[in-house]
Amino acid sequence: MLDFSSLLLAAALSGICLSITMFAIWLATPRARFVLTVACGIFVLVAHVVGFWRYTKEADPWLCQVVLALLTLGFLVICLSAMQYLGFRDYRGIVVPTLAAMAACAIVTFLGFDGIGFQITYAAVTTLLAAIGTMFWIKGDHDRRILLVVSFLSGACGLSFALCGLTLLAQGQWVLGAAPDNWAERLNSVVAVACMTGLGALTLSLHHLQAQIELKAETMTDPLTGLMNRRALNELYGDRSFGPFMAIAMFDLDHFKRTNDVFGHPVGDQVLCRFAAVIKKYGKAGVDAFRLGGEEFALVMSRVTPEKAHDMASRIGVAFGTEIVPTHRGPLRSSVSGGMGFGSAAGRPLHEVLAQADAALYAAKRAGRNRVIAQVAADRPDAGPALKTA
């Protein structure tokens, strides 16, 4: 049967392997910064385990303070990595209370009450692990089965530390003078090794999921404008049925080829980005913007009447007409033409609504450009006035 020292060495060895693995992953994918944070946290915990093993051999008061500080700091860093991964930005809510607990632990340990110091540290670690499990459960956007396992392992590890603190509290051990050695400590060593190994493996899975999400986002995003691309349009709306309160506005920048020929492609790119910036301002719930390719864009609108959809498309055209791009030939002002396609009470597929919007767009081009046309029931375009761009 393994003794306590063997359990500690097993925990240290497991932690070293995990830390090295995390560092290697981060070196291969530097953008995965949360993996580096996990590696640093595990490395700090390895230092704690080695220090604690040394403390079991020779109980030095100063070493006790270092050991307790390393334990809390290691789990604080791992908690910060979870916040980093999940997108939490208010680190103060975790850092400040944890640092306060570390300061209180240092003070009582310095005064000779090392048993109270251990209890404070175990309480802080339990809280941090509970926070990790809770954050993953309430904000995770990935496979709920993985998140459930993360929450379970964090909770189990936190419970084992809580048992260590409660055991000392129940026995009234305010002053120890040596490393605590009881059934809870031994159980904690086994649980911590198992849980940290499992959490390390899950970190690899979460990193893989994040890489997949980032890759998918890249393949569905236009690199120049930052808008979604045609593939994203088909992905999001290809299987949708467009009802009476859904519409698509298609836009095509007027005389864009001439802009490129006269002013150069860098200026053309600026014009495209200016229009993308204008269309993004109208982004809200139920409104998605896409660059379909070249100078062609689309805006999908949900929960709007045909009149409001046409009004929004017209306002986008007017706003773009006020944009001025400085060039070597002087200021450049461009215009845009648009066409509307609408859903129906019976429902229409994406390709039909796009075809209607495309037909209306070309009608706007034929009518003189710089306008947004809506197709009427008889499939005869209502040209309407040119957009006011001055």
Side-chain angles (χ1 to χ4, degrees):
M1 185 175 181
L2 292 176
D3 58 16
F4 192 40
S5 295
S6 298
L7 290 174
L8 291 176
L9 292 176
L13 181 61
S14 174
I16 290 173
C17 293
L18 281 175
S19 184
I20 292 174
T21 302
M22 296 297 108
F23 274 119
I25 291 174
W26 174 74
L27 288 174
T29 54
R31 291 173 59 184
R33 288 174 292 185
F34 85 98
V35 176
L36 175 62
T37 309
V38 172
C40 293
I42 294 175
F43 184 78
V44 173
L45 290 177
V46 169
H48 155 76
V49 171
V50 174
F52 189 73
W53 173 79
R54 180 62 184 170
Y55 185 65
T56 61
K57 305 298 182 182
E58 183 179 349
D60 180 85
W62 290 105
L63 181 58
C64 178
Q65 293 197 32
V66 172
V67 165
L68 294 179
L70 288 174
L71 179 61
T72 307
L73 181 62
F75 280 104
L76 172 61
V77 174
I78 290 178
C79 185
L80 293 177
S81 74
M83 298 177 70
Q84 192 176 20
Y85 177 78
L86 295 172
F88 289 93
R89 292 292 178 262
D90 186 13
Y91 299 132
R92 291 176 298 178
I94 291 291
V95 173
V96 174
T98 304
L99 293 179
M102 292 174 66
C105 175
I107 292 173
V108 297
T109 304
F110 177 77
L111 295 176
F113 297 98
D114 55 340
I116 298 179
F118 272 96
Q119 293 175 44
I120 293 174
T121 298
Y122 290 149
V125 170
T126 300
T127 302
L128 290 170
L129 285 165
I132 292 172
T134 302
M135 285 188 296
F136 268 99
W137 185 245
I138 65 175
K139 195 174 179 179
D141 297 326
H142 303 320
D143 192 327
R144 303 302 296 182
R145 293 169 295 182
I146 294 180
L147 300 178
L148 176 63
V149 176
V150 172
S151 299
F152 172 77
L153 291 178
S154 299
C157 193
L159 180 61
S160 69
F161 278 104
L163 288 174
C164 291
L166 290 173
T167 300
L168 294 178
L169 180 64
Q171 296 175 355
Q173 293 183 302
W174 318 124
V175 179
L176 297 175
D181 186 5
N182 51 54
W183 67 271
E185 292 287 341
R186 295 175 182 273
L187 176 64
N188 172 257
S189 298
V190 175
V191 172
V193 171
C195 289
M196 293 309 296
T197 302
L199 288 172
L202 288 174
T203 299
L204 297 178
S205 298
L206 291 173
H207 166 65
H208 179 65
L209 283 174
Q210 186 182 53
Q212 285 185 320
I213 291 172
E214 291 177 353
L215 179 61
K216 185 176 182 180
E218 289 177 357
T219 60
M220 295 177 66
T221 302
D222 173 54
L224 176 64
T225 63
L227 297 177
M228 290 183 283
N229 57 22
R230 186 181 291 271
R231 178 175 180 176
L233 175 63
N234 291 324
E235 184 82 16
L236 294 175
Y237 293 98
D239 297 327
R240 291 281 298 274
S241 178
F242 283 70
F245 297 104
M246 293 186 70
I248 294 179
M250 288 187 66
F251 298 97
D252 191 273
L253 303 190
D254 296 332
H255 304 296
F256 185 70
K257 183 179 185 302
R258 187 171 65 188
T259 298
N260 279 332
D261 293 341
V262 175
F263 297 94
H265 288 277
V267 172
D269 288 346
Q270 289 186 52
V271 173
L272 292 171
C273 291
R274 288 292 181 92
F275 183 75
V278 169
I279 205 172
K280 283 177 184 177
K281 292 179 182 178
Y282 290 83
K284 60 180 181 179
V287 178
D288 292 318
F290 304 85
R291 182 188 177 196
L292 303 183
E295 66 272 25
E296 195 173 52
F297 296 80
L299 190 71
V300 179
M301 294 165 276
S302 303
R303 299 189 295 275
V304 293
T305 62
E307 293 77 14
K308 288 186 176 180
H310 183 268
D311 180 64
M312 181 183 294
S314 297
R315 284 187 281 123
I316 289 173
V318 171
F320 178 63
T322 65
E323 294 287 325
I324 297 176
V325 176
T327 74
H328 63 284
R329 290 176 173 265
L332 170 64
R333 178 177 289 177
S334 303
S335 63
V336 64
S337 299
M340 303 297 302
F342 302 102
S344 66
R348 302 179 68 189
L350 172 65
H351 68 88
E352 286 188 9
V353 183
L354 280 176
Q356 182 186 18
D358 191 54
L361 171 61
Y362 279 98
K365 293 281 189 180
R366 291 193 300 269
R369 294 183 170 84
N370 189 30
R371 67 195 69 223
V372 176
I373 286 184
Q375 202 83 354
V376 297
D379 288 335
R380 294 174 59 187
D382 175 18
L387 299 172
K388 297 178 180 179
T389 60

